Amino acid sequence: QVQLVESGGGLVQAGGSLRLSCAASGRTFSNGAMGWFRQAPGKEREFVAAIGWSGGSTSYADSVKGRFTISRDNAKNTVYLQMNSLKPEDTAVYYCAGAYTHFVPTFDKRYDYWGQGTQVTVSS
């Protein structure tokens, strides 16, 4: 099994930037897709971004396209989420997840393992 640990969350003003990291340990990391999801208080968890095993394929939620960028470094067993032009509505707990698939799933049920999450708060 793969263990995931997110970091990089925090408090930022609207218009600012943060970079989230997700470090993996355990079973092989590079053979599957990785994704970021988020959950705001009182709302369901929603897809943010995903990346294929080689990094060549990516997918984004419409709400973050053009502002967020997902990337991965398989040599470091780490996936990143660069978040720019942050808005108060981006406030949520952000979760990293991994899927044993060569596709790039956007549905959370397709993911096999999850991190504990990191809080991102964007003030207006």
Side-chain angles (χ1 to χ4, degrees):
Q1 186 68 323
V2 180
Q3 290 78 45
L4 301 175
V5 177
E6 302 97 334
S7 61
L11 174 64
V12 64
Q13 288 187 332
S17 299
L18 283 174
R19 188 175 84 153
L20 305 184
S21 299
C22 174
S25 61
R27 187 175 165 181
T28 303
F29 164 81
S30 62
N31 287 348
M34 297 296 297
W36 286 96
F37 291 78
R38 67 187 182 186
Q39 187 167 20
K43 295 187 177 181
E44 294 190 353
R45 184 166 57 192
E46 65 174 359
F47 169 74
V48 175
I51 188 167
W53 66 277
S54 69
S57 298
T58 58
S59 181
Y60 295 92
D62 288 343
S63 59
V64 306
K65 277 182 184 176
R67 300 188 298 122
F68 291 11
T69 302
I70 189 171
S71 61
R72 67 190 294 168
D73 185 338
N74 289 340
K76 295 183 178 180
N77 288 340
T78 302
V79 63
Y80 305 96
L81 185 68
Q82 178 66 45
M83 306 186 294
N84 298 328
S85 302
L86 282 161
K87 304 175 181 179
E89 51 263 45
D90 294 318
T91 295
V93 177
Y94 284 70
Y95 296 92
C96 174
Y100 298 120
T101 178
H102 288 292
F103 297 101
V104 185
T106 61
F107 184 44
D108 60 355
K109 296 297 189 294
R110 289 297 317 278
Y111 284 81
D112 301 296
Y113 50 95
W114 293 79
Q116 294 301 306
T118 185
Q119 176 71 46
V120 171
T121 303
V122 184
S123 63
S124 58

